Amino acid sequence: MVKKFDVITKLYEEATQEVTESPEKWIAFLRSASKNYRLPFDEQLLIHVQRPEATAVLPMEKWNEKFGRWVKRDSKGIAVFDKSSDHLKLKYYFDVSDTREGKYKRLVRPVSLWSVSEEQREPVKEALVNAFGVADGDRKEFAMVILEASLNIAEDNIGDYLPDILLATKDSPLEEIDEFNIRLKMKQLLANSISYMLFERCGMEPDIYLETRDFRTIREFHTKELVNLFGVAASDMSEMALSEVADTIRKLQIQEQKQRTFVERKTADYNVDNKQEITTERGQDNGSNHIQQTGRLSPAESYDSRGRGSSPWEVRLSKKTYLMKNRYGMYLNLLTAGTLNQHLLQTEEEAQMRMETLILQMAEKEGVTEELKARDQMEWIGRMNNIRRRAKEIVRNEILEN
């Protein structure tokens, strides 16, 4: 019997090929991903192929806990990879359309999905100009600011993603292209993708400013490895831009709410609670009632001190955490190829061997010998512990950088 995980893995592989078949299909993905921009690329892609109309997704328990909403009977979950587990398994999201208000009305919280009104465009433009260094932005139209901000984001961040792209060009059209031109193609495609998602979420018609041919180079990233690496870059950079817009809208909403509350208190015969929460789409600063960023786990949930231990097994966890946090495209390639655990096991074995060798070499060089142990055991223990700590840090850094 075929496991559901294998079915979804196959679906994901097919999706990576589908979205790079044509500019139109990549654009369709961008339109879908812009609604759930805080999710990582793999989850955006799986949502796109299962429920492209989804606008706000959470696991069932989060709808219950944070919004007092229940998932409707017979609703079908959206399967995505559960990367919080050491075992290969799935988790399921439900769109807000799959939910209803729960029995206890006092626990129900509003689910507000932000949009940009005509009146809000000027402060949003100012935020983009300041955050992403758009020259003379105050004298430019909103659409031009979006295009230039997107190009600046791509230029400033492409260096974090290009090295892995250059290592994965085999069997793609990029294989015969030099680094300069790969960088040029990648930067422009990233900028166009960021712009498209910004236009989409800011209530502007993307097709007025971007043509289908502006995305034609997506075909050159058609291998599974390149799709993952490029997709992660596009997703990460788009989140930077859209988060800036979302934060600006949230601040405007709070300011408007305070002003409205002030007026009502002056004119009404009753008190108005001015602490009413304004729930925004997956906001990060509004406590437990926000739809949380689901895929990229917060430091408290994922990137904790467990990855900093001294044993090879803990180095293995540290490598997984490092890949998820810093080289997510490579992590996806290993995960979807079914070689992640093998890679981490190899990492563990290499760490063990390197640790033992390094401790022996350092002990010999520093005179921490059996003779010292026989003469002054406490001194020997203290110095060996110091060596182990330093060796652990060296091995950890070597393993992560490899």
Side-chain angles (χ1 to χ4, degrees):
M1 182 178 179
V2 180
K3 295 181 179 179
K4 185 64 181 290
F5 184 90
D6 296 331
V7 171
I8 296 301
T9 300
K10 179 66 174 175
L11 177 66
Y12 181 80
E13 291 175 355
E14 292 171 352
T16 59
Q17 298 304 299
E18 178 184 327
V19 295
T20 54
E21 281 180 2
S22 68
E24 291 83 0
K25 291 187 176 180
W26 179 251
I27 288 171
F29 164 72
L30 294 175
R31 190 178 302 115
S32 169
S34 69
K35 302 168 190 172
N36 293 287
Y37 65 91
R38 287 198 186 276
L39 298 179
F41 171 70
D42 55 303
E43 295 184 3
Q44 291 175 335
L45 187 55
L46 283 170
I47 290 171
H48 172 63
V49 295
Q50 295 174 79
R51 294 278 297 280
E53 73 283 0
T55 57
V57 298
L58 280 177
M60 180 187 298
E61 62 274 13
K62 296 298 183 183
W63 282 121
N64 298 159
E65 296 169 6
K66 297 180 180 298
F67 293 94
R69 301 185 70 86
W70 295 353
V71 173
K72 299 173 186 175
R73 188 184 300 275
D74 299 326
S75 294
K76 185 177 180 180
I78 305 168
V80 297
F81 302 124
D82 184 353
K83 297 174 285 289
S84 65
S85 172
D86 291 332
H87 305 289
L88 300 178
K89 65 177 187 177
L90 303 172
K91 62 181 179 182
Y92 293 87
Y93 288 146
F94 293 89
D95 185 51
V96 63
S97 63
D98 297 323
T99 69
R100 61 180 177 82
E101 291 186 358
K103 179 179 178 181
Y104 304 103
K105 301 303 179 185
R106 61 184 178 83
L107 300 178
V108 175
R109 299 290 183 270
V111 182
S112 299
L113 307 182
W114 62 263
S115 59
V116 181
S117 66
E118 287 282 350
E119 296 76 18
Q120 293 169 332
R121 285 186 180 182
E122 191 60 32
V124 168
K125 184 183 86 167
E126 183 180 350
L128 292 175
V129 167
N130 294 335
F132 305 114
V134 179
D136 299 320
D138 56 329
R139 296 198 293 269
K140 293 176 179 174
E141 296 293 327
F142 188 34
M144 185 57 65
V145 166
I146 285 178
L147 291 168
E148 291 193 21
S150 299
L151 190 60
N152 289 350
I153 293 170
E155 176 67 38
D156 291 345
N157 295 279
I158 193 172
D160 294 333
Y161 303 89
L162 183 60
D164 285 343
I165 291 281
L166 295 174
L167 293 173
T169 59
K170 185 178 179 181
D171 299 327
S172 79
L174 299 180
E175 190 172 12
E176 304 301 322
I177 302 176
D178 61 75
E179 178 178 340
F180 175 82
N181 283 293
I182 290 176
R183 189 182 193 280
L184 201 62
K185 287 174 178 285
M186 182 178 174
K187 182 179 75 171
Q188 194 58 59
L189 186 57
L190 282 169
N192 292 342
S193 298
I194 298 165
S195 293
Y196 193 96
M197 293 176 73
L198 275 170
F199 283 132
E200 187 74 21
R201 286 307 304 266
C202 289
M204 305 174 72
E205 183 53 55
D207 295 340
I208 295 176
Y209 310 99
L210 294 166
E211 299 179 3
T212 302
R213 65 178 182 176
D214 291 324
F215 300 92
R216 62 187 181 279
T217 52
I218 191 61
R219 295 190 183 99
E220 300 180 34
F221 294 83
H222 70 84
T223 67
K224 185 185 70 173
E225 290 77 13
L226 283 176
V227 177
N228 280 331
L229 293 168
F230 180 82
V232 167
S235 177
D236 287 353
M237 295 184 202
S238 297
E239 184 188 1
M240 294 178 195
L242 288 166
S243 293
E244 191 66 36
V245 177
D247 287 347
T248 302
I249 296 299
R250 179 182 57 82
K251 290 172 184 176
L252 291 171
Q253 289 175 331
I254 292 173
Q255 184 179 9
E256 180 184 347
Q257 178 68 24
K258 286 181 178 179
Q259 291 173 345
R260 184 162 59 246
T261 301
F262 177 74
V263 171
E264 289 173 348
R265 282 191 167 184
K266 289 184 67 176
T267 59
D269 294 328
Y270 53 87
N271 291 325
V272 177
D273 182 6
N274 69 340
K275 295 183 179 180
Q276 179 181 356
E277 293 182 356
I278 300 173
T279 305
T280 58
E281 177 184 8
R282 288 175 299 282
Q284 295 179 341
D285 302 317
N286 199 25
S288 62
N289 291 330
H290 278 215
I291 300 178
Q292 295 296 315
Q293 175 180 338
T294 314
R296 294 162 188 150
L297 300 177
S298 68
E301 292 173 327
S302 178
Y303 308 128
D304 59 16
S305 59
R306 290 177 296 174
R308 299 179 176 272
S310 58
S311 74
W313 178 75
E314 289 169 322
V315 171
R316 177 183 177 183
L317 289 182
S318 189
K319 182 60 177 285
K320 179 182 176 183
T321 297
Y322 171 81
L323 289 173
M324 290 180 66
K325 187 176 182 181
N326 299 287
R327 303 181 74 181
Y328 194 73
M330 179 176 289
Y331 170 83
L332 284 182
N333 285 334
L334 291 168
L335 176 69
T336 55
T339 57
L340 177 62
N341 285 339
Q342 177 184 342
H343 175 78
L344 295 177
L345 180 60
Q346 182 180 347
T347 296
E348 181 179 334
E349 293 172 349
E350 290 175 357
Q352 177 69 50
M353 294 174 60
R354 177 66 174 141
M355 190 85 152
E356 292 173 356
T357 301
L358 201 56
I359 288 173
L360 289 175
Q361 291 174 345
M362 294 172 72
E364 181 179 358
K365 182 178 180 180
E366 298 176 23
V368 185
T369 61
E370 289 297 316
E371 180 181 344
L372 174 63
K373 182 179 180 181
R375 186 175 67 251
D376 190 340
Q377 189 173 29
M378 294 304 295
E379 172 72 12
W380 182 88
I381 290 173
R383 292 175 65 179
M384 281 301 294
N385 284 339
N386 180 268
I387 287 173
R388 287 192 182 94
R389 282 193 295 271
R390 286 183 285 135
K392 177 201 72 174
E393 193 61 28
I394 291 171
V395 169
R396 181 177 179 274
N397 291 334
E398 288 178 349
I399 292 296
L400 296 190
E401 292 171 2
N402 184 9

